[in-house]
Amino acid sequence: MRRVKLFFFLVAVLGLATVTACTKVISSESSLPSWHPEALPEGRADCTECHEDTVKGVLKPYASFSHSTVFIKNHRYYAGQDNRLCAVCHKPSFCNDCHANELEVKPSVMHGDRPDREMIHRGDYLSRHQIDGKIDPTSCFRCHGRTNNEQCVACHR
Amino acid sequence: MKQCVRLMMLAILGVPSVASAVDLGVDSTTLIRLEERSVPGFSKEQVYPATQFLGIDLDKLGDGNLSFHLYGWGRLDLADKSTDEGTTDADLSYAYLAYRFPQADAQVKLGRFFVYEGVAAEQVDGVSARTDLTHGFAVSLFGGAPVKLDLTGDNKGDYVVGGRLAYRLPGLLELGASALREGGITTGESTDLKDYRQLVGGDIWLAPFKIMEIRGHSNYNTATSGFAEHSYLLQVYPVRPLTIVAEYNDYRLKDYFATTNLRSLFNPDRDETLRSYGGSITYVVAKPLEVTADYKRINYHRADRGNTNRFGGEVRLTLADRKVRTGLSYHRADSAQSANSYHEVRGYVMYRTTKYSASIDAIGHFYDEKVLGARDTDYEVLGSLGYHILENLAISGDLGYGRNPWYDKELRGVLRLTYNFNYSSKGAAK
C-alpha cells in the first residue's frame, strides 16, 4: 500500500514538473490558422500579392512560398520543413494525387482537364520509364522504392 | 483491405460522440475510364474501370480544435480487367483525428496519416505530435505501424518511429535534425540487410541575403553506415522577374536503396554512385509570360549506363484574368547510350471559367533508337470539355488518342464527375 502511495506521489510530482517545464519550454505564440481565411484565385498562388515580411511561426519570408515554377519543381525541400504551412491551403488529398502508398491512376489521367498543372508521367510513360529509370533510378525511387509500386510488380518481380 | 475497413469504421463511429456544431467538407470524384487497347497480333481489350475517390473533413469537433479527415478510393472493373489483380480494389489513404492547439502550432494526430518530416516520408497507422518551443526551437515525433502494400509488403517493418528537432532564426536560418527507425523488417532470402531501417539526417534553409536562399538535406543510413543522399538547392533572385537556380545531388545507391521492397528494380547490392548537378533560369517577361531554360548533368557511375545531359526550355502564357493558360516546352535527354536519348515536345492550351472548361494537350517523344524494336516515336493528343452543372457539381470528359511502341492505337476516354460540398457553421467556408 505504501509503495502504491509512493508511486502515485512520484507520478504526481513528475506530472507537475512536466507541466511546469512545458509551460516554460513551449512557445506561447498563437498557431497558424487552420485554413486560409479567404478563397484564393485559380492558378499559381503568389503569397506576396497580399502578404509581406515573414510567415508567423514558420519564420521565413512569404516570398519563399510563392508558387513559382522553381517552387513547384522543388517542393520536396519545403514540405520536409514546413508541411504545416502547406496544410493551411492544401488538404492532404492534394498531395495524394501524386504521393500515395497505392495510387489508382496516373495523376495526369485523374486531372486530364488540367494540363496547366505540373503532373509527372504525361503521355506514354510506359515506353519512357525504362529510359528515365536507366538515366536516373533515384528519381523513381522516391515514389516507387518502398510504396506505390504495385503496378511495377506486374513486370519487375 | 480488412484492416482499412476496420480502421475507417472505427474512425467514423468515433466522430459523432465528439461532434457539436461541426464544419463538414465532402470531396467526391468519380472517374470512369474508357480505354481500347490494340496490340498487333492480339485481340483488342476494352477496359472500363470505375473509380470513386472520396474525401471527408469534419472540423470544429469537440471544443472546436478537434478535426477528422478521411480520404480513400475504390475501383470496379466494368469490362476487361484493368490490372493483373482482381476486378475490384480499394485503398484508404488516410483517416485520422487531429487536435490543433491554439498556441505553438502544436498538433496531435491519431489514425492513418502521412508524415513528411526531414528524413521521413511515411504512411503510418499511429500517432504523431509536434509543437514549437521557445527560443526558435520546434520538435515533432511520430510512431506506429508502417502501412503495407497488398502485394509488396514483404519489406516493411512492424513499427516505425521518428522525429525532427528544428532551430530557427527569423528570416535567416532553419536547421533541422531528424531520425527514423523501422524495425521488424522481413529482409527476404537474398540479402544481408539487418531487420531494421535507420536513417538520420540534417536539413537546412539559409537566406544570408534577401536575394538568396539555400535549401537542402543530407541523409545518413546508419544500418549500412553510409551517406544515402546529399541534395542542395541554391536560389538567387538578382532582380524580381529573374530566378536563377543551381542544384546538386549526390547518392550512394547501396545506402539509398538499402530497404527497397523492389530489389529486382532497385538493386542495392551494386556499390554505385549517382551525382547530378545543373540549374535553371526563369524570367518573367511580363506577369502573364514566363520563360524557363534548364540544364541537368547526370553522372551515373555504372559502366553500362553512362552520363546524360538533360536540357530544354518552357514558355508559359496566362491571359484573360487567368482564364486562358497555355504552355509550350521542348526537352532533350542526351545520353551516352543512344538507346537512352530522346526529344520531348509538349504544348497545351486551356480555357477555364466558373461555368465551362476546355483544353487540348499534345505530347510527343522522338527516340534516337526504336523502343522495343517497334517504333521510335510516340504521341498523345488529349482533349477535355467540362461543365459546372451546379456551383459544387461538375462533369467533364477527356478523349485521348495516341500511338506508341506498345500499342499501334490507344484510344482513351475519361468521364469525370466531381462534387465538393462544404458546410460551415460560421465564418468562411473551407
Side-chain angles (χ1 to χ4, degrees), chain B residues 61-270:
Chain B
L61 298 168
D63 65 353
N65 296 314
L66 187 67
S67 60
F68 171 74
H69 310 273
L70 177 145
Y71 189 80
W73 57 263
R75 186 197 71 229
L76 173 67
D77 283 332
L78 303 176
D80 293 335
K81 281 167 67 174
S82 62
T83 70
D84 287 344
E85 298 171 52
T87 54
T88 60
D89 200 2
D91 188 56
L92 180 66
S93 300
Y94 58 80
Y96 63 90
L97 284 165
Y99 190 88
R100 294 182 75 260
F101 292 82
Q103 271 91 37
D105 268 322
Q107 187 175 51
V108 179
K109 287 181 184 174
L110 176 69
R112 171 172 295 186
F113 51 84
F114 286 85
V115 178
Y116 302 104
E117 292 280 357
V119 291
E122 311 290 317
Q123 190 188 23
V124 177
D125 287 332
V127 63
S128 77
R130 64 104 38 223
T131 184
D132 286 344
L133 306 174
T134 52
H135 306 296
F137 287 94
V139 65
S140 62
L141 295 164
F142 71 90
V147 177
K148 299 186 180 185
L149 290 159
D150 294 339
L151 294 178
T152 49
D154 60 326
N155 210 22
K156 290 223 181 166
D158 298 325
Y159 70 90
V160 60
V161 293
R164 179 171 177 268
L165 180 68
Y167 172 70
R168 295 177 300 229
L169 283 171
L172 177 67
L173 173 73
E174 176 165 345
L175 286 173
S178 55
L180 175 151
R181 182 185 170 101
E182 186 177 345
I185 293 172
T186 307
T187 51
E189 295 169 4
S190 61
T191 170
D192 57 354
L193 283 172
K194 303 174 182 77
D195 68 346
Y196 61 84
R197 166 176 166 240
Q198 260 182 201
L199 288 170
V200 294
D203 56 80
I204 187 171
W205 172 80
L206 176 67
F209 310 105
K210 204 172 180 182
I211 60 160
M212 181 191 284
E213 279 186 31
I214 297 167
R215 291 179 183 270
H217 55 250
S218 291
N219 298 342
Y220 185 82
N221 188 334
T222 54
T224 56
S225 302
F227 272 101
E229 178 184 5
H230 301 284
S231 288
Y232 290 88
L233 189 76
L234 167 70
Q235 293 168 246
V236 183
Y237 319 93
V239 286
R240 186 167 168 81
L242 183 66
T243 306
I244 301 168
V245 175
E247 65 167 316
Y248 174 81
N249 305 283
D250 196 340
Y251 302 90
R252 193 174 158 204
L253 303 188
K254 186 182 171 201
D255 307 300
Y256 190 66
F257 292 160
T259 48
T260 179
N261 51 11
L262 266 179
R263 295 182 66 82
S264 63
L265 198 55
F266 302 103
N267 186 348
D269 296 329
R270 285 193 289 259

Side-chain angles (χ1 to χ4, degrees), chain A:
Chain A
M1 193 62 191
R2 242 178 124 178
R3 281 184 181 173
V4 175
K5 279 183 182 171
L6 187 64
F7 173 76
F8 279 111
F9 175 73
L10 283 172
V11 167
V13 169
L14 275 173
L16 199 64
T18 306
V19 169
T20 308
C22 284
T23 54
K24 298 276 185 199
V25 171
I26 291 176
S27 167
S28 56
E29 287 280 322
S30 56
S31 297
L32 287 166
S34 64
W35 197 247
H36 196 275
E38 286 186 30
L40 295 170
E42 277 222 12
R44 296 177 170 187
D46 180 359
C47 309
T48 58
E49 281 180 2
C50 299
H51 299 284
E52 292 176 354
D53 302 330
T54 56
V55 186
K56 187 184 67 175
V58 175
L59 304 181
K60 291 178 187 141
Y62 275 100
S64 288
F65 300 98
S66 287
H67 286 17
S68 62
T69 301
V70 174
F71 177 93
I72 291 165
K73 289 198 166 141
N74 298 288
H75 67 272
R76 66 186 178 117
Y77 294 105
Y78 302 77
Q81 286 188 326
D82 300 311
N83 68 67
R84 72 209 157 104
L85 184 65
C86 307
V88 174
C89 295
H90 296 291
K91 293 180 181 180
S93 57
F94 180 85
C95 310
N96 276 191
D97 283 351
C98 300
H99 305 281
N101 199 45
E102 197 176 331
L103 207 61
E104 165 64 356
V105 290
K106 279 200 309 182
S108 57
V109 172
M110 186 164 179
H111 297 285
D113 57 340
R114 291 295 306 273
D116 61 319
R117 282 183 65 179
E118 293 280 347
M119 294 282 178
I120 52 168
H121 305 347
R122 285 191 188 276
D124 167 37
Y125 201 71
L126 196 57
S127 299
R128 211 158 68 257
H129 87 283
Q130 54 191 319
I131 296 174
D132 286 349
K134 284 173 187 163
I135 291 174
D136 181 1
T138 63
S139 62
C140 312
F141 184 80
R142 282 195 202 104
C143 294
H144 301 290
R146 292 180 53 75
T147 62
N148 195 22
N149 55 28
E150 302 240 315
Q151 298 277 351
C152 312
V153 179
C155 300
H156 302 280
R157 291 175 188 275

